[in-house]
Amino acid sequence: MPSPCPPPPARSAELRERFAEEVRGERPGLSALCLLVAAEGDGRLDEAGMDAVEIELDRLAGELPHRPGSPHAWAVALRDLLGERYGFHGLPDDYRRLESSLLHEVLRRRRGLPILLSVVWIEVARRAGAPVYGVALPGHFVVGFGASEGPGAGQVLVDPFDGGRVLTGPDAELLVAGATGGSLEPSMLAPAGTLEVVARILNNVRAWAATRPERTDVGLWAVDLALLLPSHPARLRYERAQLLVQRGEFTTGAAELEAYAEVVAAVDPAAADRVRGEALAARALLN
Protein backbone atom coordinates (compact mmCIF):
# COMPACT_ATOMS: atom_id res chain seq x y z
CA MET A 1 0.00 0.00 0.00
CA PRO A 2 1.42 3.45 -0.91
CA SER A 3 2.26 5.87 1.89
CA PRO A 4 -0.69 8.12 2.82
CA CYS A 5 -0.97 11.53 1.16
CA PRO A 6 -2.59 14.73 2.50
CA PRO A 7 -6.17 15.65 1.55
CA PRO A 8 -7.27 18.30 -1.00
CA PRO A 9 -6.78 21.96 0.02
CA ALA A 10 -10.41 22.60 1.02
CA ARG A 11 -10.50 19.57 3.30
CA SER A 12 -7.10 20.48 4.74
CA ALA A 13 -8.25 24.01 5.54
CA GLU A 14 -11.31 22.65 7.36
CA LEU A 15 -9.21 20.19 9.38
CA ARG A 16 -6.74 22.88 10.40
CA GLU A 17 -9.54 25.16 11.55
CA ARG A 18 -10.96 22.37 13.69
CA PHE A 19 -7.49 21.55 15.02
CA ALA A 20 -6.91 25.19 16.00
CA GLU A 21 -10.27 25.32 17.79
CA GLU A 22 -9.60 22.07 19.65
CA VAL A 23 -6.14 23.07 20.92
CA ARG A 24 -7.55 26.36 22.20
CA GLY A 25 -10.33 24.62 24.09
CA GLU A 26 -10.44 24.32 27.85
CA ARG A 27 -9.94 20.53 27.72
CA PRO A 28 -8.51 19.49 24.34
CA GLY A 29 -9.44 15.92 23.40
CA LEU A 30 -6.51 13.60 22.77
CA SER A 31 -8.28 11.22 20.39
CA ALA A 32 -9.96 14.14 18.58
CA LEU A 33 -6.63 15.88 17.98
CA CYS A 34 -4.90 12.66 16.94
CA LEU A 35 -7.67 12.01 14.42
CA LEU A 36 -7.36 15.52 12.98
CA VAL A 37 -3.62 14.91 12.60
CA ALA A 38 -4.37 11.56 10.95
CA ALA A 39 -6.90 13.11 8.55
CA GLU A 40 -4.40 15.80 7.58
CA GLY A 41 -1.86 13.06 6.89
CA ASP A 42 -4.18 10.67 5.06
CA GLY A 43 -6.73 12.10 2.64
CA ARG A 44 -8.57 8.78 2.67
CA LEU A 45 -9.72 9.30 6.26
CA ASP A 46 -13.18 10.87 6.08
CA GLU A 47 -15.68 11.80 8.80
CA ALA A 48 -17.16 8.29 8.86
CA GLY A 49 -13.69 6.87 9.34
CA MET A 50 -12.97 9.25 12.20
CA ASP A 51 -16.25 8.33 13.88
CA ALA A 52 -15.40 4.63 13.42
CA VAL A 53 -12.16 5.12 15.38
CA GLU A 54 -14.00 6.66 18.34
CA ILE A 55 -16.56 3.83 18.23
CA GLU A 56 -13.78 1.24 18.21
CA LEU A 57 -12.09 2.85 21.21
CA ASP A 58 -15.45 2.77 23.02
CA ARG A 59 -15.90 -0.88 22.10
CA LEU A 60 -12.48 -1.86 23.39
CA ALA A 61 -13.11 -0.01 26.64
CA GLY A 62 -16.35 -1.96 27.03
CA GLU A 63 -14.36 -5.21 27.02
CA LEU A 64 -12.36 -4.28 30.10
CA PRO A 65 -13.39 -5.72 33.46
CA HIS A 66 -15.48 -3.34 35.53
CA ARG A 67 -13.19 -1.25 37.75
CA PRO A 68 -10.25 -3.67 38.09
CA GLY A 69 -9.12 -1.84 41.24
CA SER A 70 -5.50 -0.92 41.90
CA PRO A 71 -3.24 0.80 39.32
CA HIS A 72 -1.44 -2.50 38.85
CA ALA A 73 -4.73 -4.30 38.22
CA TRP A 74 -5.66 -1.71 35.61
CA ALA A 75 -2.26 -2.11 33.94
CA VAL A 76 -2.63 -5.89 33.79
CA ALA A 77 -6.20 -5.65 32.47
CA LEU A 78 -5.08 -3.35 29.63
CA ARG A 79 -2.12 -5.60 28.85
CA ASP A 80 -4.34 -8.67 28.72
CA LEU A 81 -6.91 -6.98 26.48
CA LEU A 82 -4.86 -4.86 24.09
CA GLY A 83 -1.47 -6.54 24.16
CA GLU A 84 -2.42 -10.21 24.42
CA ARG A 85 -5.96 -10.58 23.10
CA TYR A 86 -5.76 -7.99 20.30
CA GLY A 87 -2.02 -8.05 19.69
CA PHE A 88 -1.24 -4.31 19.79
CA HIS A 89 2.53 -3.88 19.84
CA GLY A 90 5.40 -2.30 17.95
CA LEU A 91 8.37 -3.47 15.91
CA PRO A 92 11.51 -1.65 14.70
CA ASP A 93 10.06 -1.50 11.17
CA ASP A 94 7.21 0.69 12.47
CA TYR A 95 9.63 3.61 12.80
CA ARG A 96 9.96 3.63 9.02
CA ARG A 97 6.23 3.95 8.30
CA LEU A 98 4.17 7.15 8.34
CA GLU A 99 1.12 5.03 9.23
CA SER A 100 2.72 4.37 12.61
CA SER A 101 1.94 7.98 13.57
CA LEU A 102 -1.68 7.98 12.34
CA LEU A 103 -4.24 6.82 14.89
CA HIS A 104 -6.69 5.18 12.50
CA GLU A 105 -3.90 3.14 10.91
CA VAL A 106 -2.53 2.11 14.30
CA LEU A 107 -5.96 0.80 15.25
CA ARG A 108 -6.30 -1.01 11.93
CA ARG A 109 -2.82 -2.55 11.92
CA ARG A 110 -2.50 -2.89 15.73
CA ARG A 111 1.03 -1.62 15.24
CA GLY A 112 2.64 1.76 15.66
CA LEU A 113 5.14 3.97 17.40
CA PRO A 114 5.28 3.91 21.20
CA ILE A 115 3.42 7.20 21.51
CA LEU A 116 0.52 6.20 19.23
CA LEU A 117 0.16 2.83 20.92
CA SER A 118 0.16 4.74 24.20
CA VAL A 119 -2.66 6.92 22.88
CA VAL A 120 -4.70 3.76 22.27
CA TRP A 121 -3.95 2.54 25.82
CA ILE A 122 -4.80 5.93 27.33
CA GLU A 123 -8.03 6.41 25.40
CA VAL A 124 -9.32 2.90 26.07
CA ALA A 125 -8.37 3.06 29.76
CA ARG A 126 -9.77 6.57 30.21
CA ARG A 127 -13.12 5.54 28.75
CA ALA A 128 -13.24 2.71 31.29
CA GLY A 129 -12.49 5.06 34.22
CA ALA A 130 -8.83 4.22 34.84
CA PRO A 131 -6.40 6.68 36.51
CA VAL A 132 -4.27 6.83 33.35
CA TYR A 133 -1.91 9.28 31.63
CA GLY A 134 1.01 9.38 29.24
CA VAL A 135 4.60 9.53 30.43
CA ALA A 136 7.04 11.15 28.02
CA LEU A 137 10.28 9.35 28.84
CA PRO A 138 13.14 10.57 26.65
CA GLY A 139 13.07 8.60 23.41
CA HIS A 140 10.29 6.23 24.47
CA PHE A 141 6.72 7.11 25.41
CA VAL A 142 4.97 4.91 27.97
CA VAL A 143 1.73 4.91 29.98
CA GLY A 144 1.28 5.50 33.70
CA PHE A 145 -1.45 4.39 36.09
CA GLY A 146 -2.09 5.74 39.57
CA ALA A 147 0.12 8.21 41.43
CA SER A 148 2.68 10.06 39.35
CA GLU A 149 5.48 10.33 41.92
CA GLY A 150 7.24 7.19 40.72
CA PRO A 151 7.01 3.40 41.06
CA GLY A 152 7.83 3.56 44.76
CA ALA A 153 4.82 5.83 45.36
CA GLY A 154 2.29 3.59 43.66
CA GLN A 155 2.83 4.60 40.05
CA VAL A 156 2.68 1.72 37.58
CA LEU A 157 4.28 2.13 34.16
CA VAL A 158 3.54 0.00 31.10
CA ASP A 159 5.16 -0.14 27.68
CA PRO A 160 2.51 -0.50 24.94
CA PHE A 161 5.26 -0.90 22.31
CA ASP A 162 6.16 -4.12 24.14
CA GLY A 163 2.56 -5.30 24.27
CA GLY A 164 1.79 -3.51 27.52
CA ARG A 165 4.57 -5.04 29.61
CA VAL A 166 4.46 -3.76 33.17
CA LEU A 167 7.75 -1.98 33.87
CA THR A 168 9.76 -2.15 37.06
CA GLY A 169 11.82 0.82 38.24
CA PRO A 170 15.01 -0.65 36.70
CA ASP A 171 13.13 -1.23 33.42
CA ALA A 172 12.30 2.48 33.19
CA GLU A 173 15.89 3.38 34.07
CA LEU A 174 17.15 1.15 31.26
CA LEU A 175 14.78 2.79 28.74
CA VAL A 176 16.09 6.24 29.64
CA ALA A 177 19.72 5.11 29.69
CA GLY A 178 19.28 3.50 26.26
CA ALA A 179 17.78 6.69 24.80
CA THR A 180 19.99 9.33 26.40
CA GLY A 181 22.84 7.60 28.21
CA GLY A 182 21.67 9.44 31.32
CA SER A 183 19.75 8.52 34.42
CA LEU A 184 16.02 8.56 35.12
CA GLU A 185 14.97 11.80 36.82
CA PRO A 186 11.74 12.06 38.87
CA SER A 187 10.49 14.86 36.60
CA MET A 188 10.48 12.44 33.66
CA LEU A 189 7.67 10.48 35.32
CA ALA A 190 5.21 13.38 35.39
CA PRO A 191 1.98 13.05 33.37
CA ALA A 192 2.26 14.44 29.84
CA GLY A 193 -0.43 16.95 28.90
CA THR A 194 -2.58 16.43 25.82
CA LEU A 195 -0.89 19.18 23.82
CA GLU A 196 2.53 17.86 24.81
CA VAL A 197 1.55 14.46 23.42
CA VAL A 198 0.28 15.96 20.17
CA ALA A 199 3.41 18.09 19.78
CA ARG A 200 5.56 14.99 20.19
CA ILE A 201 3.51 13.11 17.59
CA LEU A 202 4.00 15.97 15.13
CA ASN A 203 7.73 15.99 15.93
CA ASN A 204 7.85 12.32 14.96
CA VAL A 205 6.09 13.04 11.67
CA ARG A 206 8.50 15.88 10.92
CA ALA A 207 11.46 13.61 11.69
CA TRP A 208 10.04 10.94 9.36
CA ALA A 209 9.65 13.46 6.54
CA ALA A 210 13.07 15.05 7.10
CA THR A 211 14.80 11.85 5.95
CA ARG A 212 12.64 11.64 2.81
CA PRO A 213 13.23 14.65 0.53
CA GLU A 214 10.39 13.50 -1.71
CA ARG A 215 7.89 13.93 1.14
CA THR A 216 8.18 17.64 1.85
CA ASP A 217 4.37 17.63 1.66
CA VAL A 218 4.29 15.63 4.89
CA GLY A 219 6.88 17.83 6.57
CA LEU A 220 4.91 20.93 5.63
CA TRP A 221 1.55 19.83 7.04
CA ALA A 222 3.21 18.61 10.23
CA VAL A 223 4.93 21.98 10.71
CA ASP A 224 1.72 23.86 9.91
CA LEU A 225 -0.21 21.92 12.57
CA ALA A 226 2.61 22.36 15.10
CA LEU A 227 2.45 26.12 14.51
CA LEU A 228 -1.21 26.05 15.56
CA LEU A 229 -0.31 24.79 19.03
CA PRO A 230 -0.46 27.56 21.65
CA SER A 231 3.18 27.01 22.58
CA HIS A 232 5.74 26.20 19.88
CA PRO A 233 9.38 27.03 19.12
CA ALA A 234 9.96 30.03 16.86
CA ARG A 235 12.39 27.95 14.82
CA LEU A 236 9.39 26.14 13.29
CA ARG A 237 8.98 29.26 11.12
CA TYR A 238 12.47 28.71 9.77
CA GLU A 239 11.76 25.05 9.12
CA ARG A 240 8.59 25.97 7.25
CA ALA A 241 10.44 28.47 5.06
CA GLN A 242 13.09 25.89 4.22
CA LEU A 243 10.42 23.37 3.22
CA LEU A 244 8.79 25.91 0.92
CA VAL A 245 12.12 26.52 -0.81
CA GLN A 246 12.70 22.77 -1.15
CA ARG A 247 9.28 22.48 -2.78
CA GLY A 248 10.18 25.15 -5.35
CA GLU A 249 8.02 27.87 -3.77
CA PHE A 250 10.97 30.26 -3.83
CA THR A 251 9.18 33.59 -3.46
CA THR A 252 7.06 32.53 -0.51
CA GLY A 253 9.95 30.66 1.10
CA ALA A 254 12.30 33.64 0.72
CA ALA A 255 9.70 35.98 2.24
CA GLU A 256 9.29 33.69 5.25
CA LEU A 257 13.06 33.43 5.66
CA GLU A 258 13.30 37.21 5.69
CA ALA A 259 10.50 37.49 8.26
CA TYR A 260 12.22 34.93 10.47
CA ALA A 261 15.52 36.82 10.15
CA GLU A 262 13.83 39.94 11.51
CA VAL A 263 12.69 37.99 14.58
CA VAL A 264 16.13 36.46 15.16
CA ALA A 265 18.04 39.72 14.62
CA ALA A 266 17.16 40.99 18.08
CA VAL A 267 18.93 38.10 19.81
CA ASP A 268 21.44 36.76 17.26
CA PRO A 269 22.44 39.21 14.50
CA ALA A 270 24.91 36.76 12.96
CA ALA A 271 22.24 34.06 12.62
CA ALA A 272 19.86 36.62 11.12
CA ASP A 273 22.46 37.50 8.48
CA ARG A 274 22.86 33.82 7.59
CA VAL A 275 19.10 33.46 7.18
CA ARG A 276 18.97 36.59 4.99
CA GLY A 277 21.66 34.99 2.86
CA GLU A 278 19.45 31.92 2.44
CA ALA A 279 16.58 34.18 1.41
CA LEU A 280 18.75 35.85 -1.25
CA ALA A 281 19.83 32.45 -2.55
CA ALA A 282 16.20 31.34 -2.76
CA ARG A 283 15.23 34.44 -4.75
CA ALA A 284 18.19 33.85 -7.07
CA LEU A 285 16.71 30.48 -7.98
CA LEU A 286 13.81 32.32 -9.63
CA ASN A 287 16.12 33.60 -12.39
Side-chain angles (χ1 to χ4, degrees):
M1 179 183 294
S3 183
C5 291
R11 169 70 168 164
S12 178
E14 175 206 347
L15 293 168
R16 293 179 191 203
E17 182 177 351
R18 290 163 58 184
F19 184 89
E21 290 176 358
E22 189 71 29
V23 299
R24 291 194 301 264
E26 185 176 344
R27 297 183 64 182
L30 179 57
S31 62
L33 286 170
C34 287
L35 284 171
L36 290 168
V37 170
E40 182 65 27
D42 186 355
R44 298 166 298 188
L45 180 60
D46 58 13
E47 294 302 313
M50 296 169 75
D51 289 343
V53 168
E54 299 282 14
I55 291 169
E56 176 65 3
L57 292 170
D58 289 342
R59 186 191 70 79
L60 290 169
E63 294 196 21
L64 282 169
H66 179 66
R67 301 284 179 178
S70 68
H72 186 271
W74 275 110
V76 170
L78 267 292
R79 180 199 65 197
D80 291 349
L81 175 68
L82 298 177
E84 296 187 3
R85 190 188 312 176
Y86 283 100
F88 283 91
H89 69 289
L91 293 172
D93 182 62
D94 293 313
Y95 285 90
R96 295 189 286 270
R97 300 178 65 119
L98 178 59
E99 295 95 318
S100 299
S101 291
L102 307 180
L103 181 55
H104 67 302
E105 283 291 323
V106 172
L107 270 182
R108 181 183 69 83
R109 298 175 59 239
R110 300 177 186 172
R111 297 263 302 277
L113 296 186
I115 192 167
L116 265 296
L117 289 166
S118 294
V119 168
V120 173
W121 250 254
I122 292 166
E123 285 298 303
V124 171
R126 179 185 63 78
R127 283 163 163 79
V132 66
Y133 46 87
V135 177
L137 294 180
H140 197 88
F141 205 93
V142 297
V143 172
F145 293 89
S148 59
E149 287 76 20
Q155 183 184 52
V156 176
L157 299 178
V158 302
D159 183 3
F161 194 75
D162 195 11
R165 179 171 64 97
V166 178
L167 302 176
T168 64
D171 290 333
E173 292 171 1
L174 283 173
L175 284 175
V176 173
T180 68
S183 58
L184 176 66
E185 302 293 337
S187 61
M188 296 175 183
L189 299 173
T194 295
L195 298 188
E196 181 184 350
V197 175
V198 173
R200 188 154 165 167
I201 290 170
L202 291 171
N203 287 345
N204 288 339
V205 174
R206 288 165 47 220
W208 180 90
T211 62
R212 295 164 175 82
E214 75 282 2
R215 295 312 307 266
T216 53
D217 59 330
V218 172
L220 190 58
W221 69 251
V223 167
D224 284 344
L225 289 183
L227 284 167
L228 294 174
L229 295 171
S231 178
H232 58 261
R235 190 173 174 81
L236 281 177
R237 297 284 179 187
Y238 177 59
E239 184 177 330
R240 186 179 196 279
Q242 288 183 310
L243 285 167
L244 290 171
V245 172
Q246 290 173 33
R247 291 173 60 78
E249 299 178 39
F250 302 122
T251 300
T252 306
E256 294 203 11
L257 284 168
E258 289 161 353
Y260 179 73
E262 292 304 311
V263 173
V264 172
V267 294
D268 192 341
D273 287 341
R274 288 194 296 272
V275 175
R276 291 190 186 101
E278 292 181 40
L280 287 172
R283 292 191 183 280
L285 293 171
L286 290 167
N287 302 325

